[in-house]
Amino acid sequence: MYKARPNRPVTLPLMGLRMPLPAWVSFLHRVSGVLLFLCLPAALYALERALSGAEAFDAVQRQLAQPAVRLLLLVAVWALAHHLFAGIRHLLMDLHFGTELAAARRSARAAAVAGGLVALATAWRLVA
């Protein structure tokens, strides 16, 4: 029969974990993939409507000009950029490039910054 030690925690304190930057980039890679999957039906619907005629195209443009839709579009662009850069990072690591700790931290920082810069450039373009 198995006896648990009395001073061992029963559950893992998830809120107390401190993940390093490469772990966050990997986690956000998964989150961005889910976001992209969830955005796909709306994007295909908007494309289908925009291609159906000139007045439908104008209606899609009016919908995309709304602030809430622009915010969702910005999140989708960040998700796409982050997923792309983090995915390239993961592919290179699968090929055994940058698997050392220092290189993994640099590539994680580069992927996070690149995704953020694309999102900032998109935000600047949406506002201007």
Side-chain angles (χ1 to χ4, degrees), residues 42-103:
L44 289 176
Y45 177 72
L47 178 65
E48 186 268 331
R49 283 204 51 216
L51 293 176
S52 66
E55 55 277 348
F57 179 80
D58 292 335
V60 170
Q61 275 190 324
R62 282 192 302 275
Q63 287 176 342
L64 290 176
Q66 295 176 3
V69 176
R70 284 187 175 202
L71 182 62
L72 290 174
L73 184 62
L74 180 62
V75 170
V77 167
W78 168 83
L80 180 64
H82 182 79
H83 199 74
L84 172 73
F85 294 124
I88 291 171
R89 175 182 178 267
H90 285 300
L91 285 174
L92 289 174
M93 291 181 81
D94 285 345
L95 295 172
H96 303 288
F97 291 109
T99 56
E100 297 81 22
L101 182 59

Side-chain angles (χ1 to χ4, degrees), residues 4-55:
R5 290 187 267 171
N7 56 357
R8 183 174 174 171
V10 177
T11 60
L12 182 65
L14 294 177
M15 299 309 289
L17 293 179
R18 293 182 43 153
M19 294 193 310
L21 182 61
W24 277 107
V25 169
S26 181
F27 173 73
L28 289 175
H29 178 73
R30 292 171 186 249
V31 169
S32 64
V34 170
L35 287 174
L36 289 173
F37 178 75
L38 294 175
C39 288
L40 193 58
L44 289 176
Y45 177 72
L47 178 65
E48 186 268 331
R49 283 204 51 216
L51 293 176
S52 66
E55 55 277 348

